[in-house]
Amino acid sequence: MPGKLTRRQLAAALSSSAALLAQAPLPPLPQNPDEELKAARDQNRQIGEQLARFPLPMSTEPATRFKA
Amino acid sequence: MASVPNDIFFATATEINQKLKAKEFSVVELTRAFSERLQRLGPRYNALALALPEQARSAAKDVDGDIKRERFRGPLQGIPFGAKDLLAYEKQPTTWGARPYAGQVFDYTATALKKLAKTGSILLGKLAMVELAGGPSYRYASASLTGPGLNPWDRTRWSGGSSSGSAIAVAAGLATFALGSETSGSILTPSAFCGITGLRPTYGLVSRHGAMPLSWTLDKIGPMCRSAEDCGYVLQTIAGSDSEDPGSAGKSFYYTPQYARDFKDIRVGFAPVDFSDWAEPAARPDFAKALDTIKSLGVKISEIKLPEFPYGPVISTIISSEGSSVFEPLIQSGKVDELADQRQIAGLKAGLEIPAKDYLKAMRIRSLIQNAFRDLFYNVDVLLAPSRLTPATALTQPLDRPLSDRQMPSVPGLTALIPAGNLAGLPALSLPCGFADRLPIGIQLAGQPFSENLLLKLGRAFQERTDWHKRRPPLGEES
């Protein structure tokens, strides 16, 4: 079973996504509903890519218990 | 009996309750005065969704009867309050701040409101909110059926959201306390912007039965008050197990800060960069004083950083996925287009298309976040940070754009504490701690789950040493 993430793996995953985000110029504000929808879809896709870059041990289950 | 003095509008629940017991005025007189004020000034700040003067008067009459017979039901007895219009109140409109739900009526009352009614608190009315509690995101303060929440300290500024009317009502003395809700920042942000004390409880501590769902795994109901002590009494009343809320933690809460550990044994972690570099320059002097005040309590202070995770993408994916699923009928019907904010409309539509792999990845990372915070709290008891780095934003400011073009630090400090704390289900308390550009600012204290008494103990001590929570906005002649 894969073990825990190393700090180096974690830092690499995070720094790449954070740095990319910080460097990316902001797109202009959408001007109509079609542009808004495209912008929202683009944002979700980018967020999905960021999440995909985050390395997870295979054994990590989704958080389903919130009774801390 | 004498008429109600003007200072009462800015008194705490405990102060008013003592005057009611001393029969300085009746609950009916108090309720009438607050009702009139809420109806007169509420619309001026876009704070009012629905006034309930008749219901309030009837409830007040009953409470007067109880007080006359010396049936005392605690510090909230006879206290007038307002509730965010996301909470159902039987046979009255509950709009969720959104045009498509303007005619919505439920035949039941939210558990939190029922609990307050049992202790004799008087519901004055429903308070405005950002439409659908802002889910999944919105661009402008105007994203509400009632228009943008106007800040009582400066009506060209936003009140913050999504619990906008709740914060305005408390800040402007239109209600002694209010209920708000938080999925990610909706209690802490308006509390900080309007200069009031707000408590986000641990996830599951307060029943959400009768509350609009936005994100089942993140939504919390909490008090917005004039002091930390009032937050404690309100939380004590509304907390508790509820079989009608699947997220209920099955726990009660008793406000007993006297039994929380001694100050010398409380370990407070903070990131200096938040106060020295991240905070708006105009806010730094009062943030620094607030930090000194916390230090002066005798707590153990240490520098700390948050565990490194992509908090923003994780919480955004969870809110979008769950929110779009909740509102799928609205989206599919096309009525979603009646919402006020174009970004919100698009976000809801796009949220339906988020792949399962992204939602699951976010929830799996969330597991690690919760574990990481469990580990973090071996070293500290409380995390301290600015509630917001700036005072209230201008009404026209696009909320998805940077507020300033100044160079930001390369280290994150605790700037992600709001999404991180919500993902981990942590309680947090926002305390007014000064002003920047004549607008209130606040600090937040976040602790491990169910550590509300510890946070409230610190909050009460902070407010014994400062008077920021007692400041009143310049309401003008009509106040």
Side-chain angles (χ1 to χ4, degrees), chain B residues 312-365:
Chain B
V314 168
I315 204 160
S316 166
T317 301
I318 294 169
I319 295 175
S320 291
S321 304
E322 296 185 9
S324 291
S325 179
V326 167
F327 292 108
E328 186 176 358
L330 177 77
I331 299 163
Q332 302 293 14
S333 72
K335 286 192 169 185
V336 69
D337 291 327
E338 294 175 19
L339 293 178
D341 193 271
Q342 289 300 321
R343 183 175 186 228
Q344 190 166 8
I345 295 168
L348 282 164
K349 289 177 179 173
L352 277 184
E353 301 160 3
I354 291 175
K357 73 176 174 59
D358 289 353
Y359 177 70
L360 288 168
K361 185 72 180 275
M363 290 295 272
R364 291 175 71 204
I365 297 172

Side-chain angles (χ1 to χ4, degrees), chain B residues 5-50:
Chain B
N6 239 21
D7 280 354
I8 283 299
F9 298 122
F10 294 93
T12 63
T14 36
E15 289 164 352
I16 295 177
N17 187 251
Q18 284 167 5
K19 291 180 187 294
L20 288 171
K21 281 187 187 168
K23 298 189 170 55
E24 290 185 26
F25 42 79
S26 71
V27 181
V28 167
E29 287 169 325
L30 178 74
T31 300
R32 188 190 303 125
F34 266 103
S35 277
E36 285 172 7
R37 186 175 167 89
L38 176 63
Q39 289 175 81
R40 182 165 50 89
L41 293 182
R44 188 178 168 195
Y45 299 97
N46 293 338
L48 183 59
L50 175 73

Side-chain angles (χ1 to χ4, degrees), chain B residues 209-286:
Chain B
H209 174 64
M212 183 202 87
L214 169 59
S215 172
W216 310 289
T217 65
L218 287 161
D219 297 339
K220 280 87 57 183
I221 309 294
M224 299 170 78
C225 303
R226 232 179 281 296
S227 70
E229 180 160 66
D230 279 4
C231 282
Y233 287 123
V234 176
L235 182 63
Q236 175 172 289
T237 305
I238 62 177
S241 177
D242 186 359
S243 59
E244 299 205 78
D245 178 356
S248 175
K251 284 183 185 262
S252 301
F253 172 78
Y254 297 97
Y255 177 51
T256 51
Q258 66 273 27
Y259 299 127
R261 66 183 75 171
D262 289 344
F263 288 119
K264 66 179 174 47
D265 298 324
I266 299 174
R267 301 161 301 170
V268 176
F270 81 111
V273 69
D274 292 346
F275 294 81
S276 61
D277 293 79
W278 275 104
E280 187 77 7
R284 289 176 198 165
D286 281 349

Side-chain angles (χ1 to χ4, degrees), chain A residues 25-45:
Chain A
L26 282 169
L29 286 177
Q31 297 299 312
N32 58 54
D34 288 342
E35 282 185 23
E36 285 282 5
L37 188 55
K38 182 178 179 306
R41 284 173 171 152
D42 286 349
Q43 190 185 23
N44 286 347
R45 186 178 41 73

Side-chain angles (χ1 to χ4, degrees), chain B residues 1 5 7 10 30 42 54 63 80 101 118 143 160 179 200 219 225 237 293 298 306 326 336 369 404-405 438 455 462:
Chain B
M1 291 222 183
D7 280 354
F10 294 93
L30 178 74
E54 290 310 312
V63 176
Y101 297 100
K118 265 191 188 171
L179 294 186
R200 177 188 77 215
D219 297 339
C225 303
T237 305
T293 304
L306 287 186
V326 167
V336 69
I369 290 171
S404 116
D405 52 7
R438 287 180 286 180
L455 304 181
F462 182 84

Side-chain angles (χ1 to χ4, degrees), chain A residues 4-5 7 10-15 17-18 21 25-68, chain B residues 137 139-140 202-204 217 246-249 251 305 308-310 312-314 316-317 320 342-343 345-347 349-351 353-354 357-368 370 374-375 398 400-402 423-425 449-450:
Chain A
K4 280 189 166 183
L5 295 175
R7 294 174 74 86
L10 195 58
L14 288 162
S15 60
S17 56
L21 257 190
L26 282 169
L29 286 177
Q31 297 299 312
N32 58 54
D34 288 342
E35 282 185 23
E36 285 282 5
L37 188 55
K38 182 178 179 306
R41 284 173 171 152
D42 286 349
Q43 190 185 23
N44 286 347
R45 186 178 41 73
Q46 286 166 10
I47 286 173
E49 288 167 4
Q50 282 180 266
L51 295 176
R53 278 196 293 270
F54 191 90
L56 272 182
M58 202 182 281
S59 58
T60 306
E61 296 191 8
T64 51
R65 285 173 56 84
F66 305 100
K67 296 174 184 176
Chain B
S137 58
R139 178 168 298 121
Y140 292 112
T202 303
Y203 177 87
T217 65
S248 175
K251 284 183 185 262
K305 57 181 185 177
E308 291 188 24
F309 287 101
V314 168
S316 166
T317 301
S320 291
Q342 289 300 321
R343 183 175 186 228
I345 295 168
K349 289 177 179 173
E353 301 160 3
I354 291 175
K357 73 176 174 59
D358 289 353
Y359 177 70
L360 288 168
K361 185 72 180 275
M363 290 295 272
R364 291 175 71 204
I365 297 172
R366 189 178 179 183
S367 282
L368 298 185
Q370 291 177 334
R374 219 165 283 147
D375 293 345
D400 55 350
R401 301 278 131 166
L423 286 166
F450 307 109

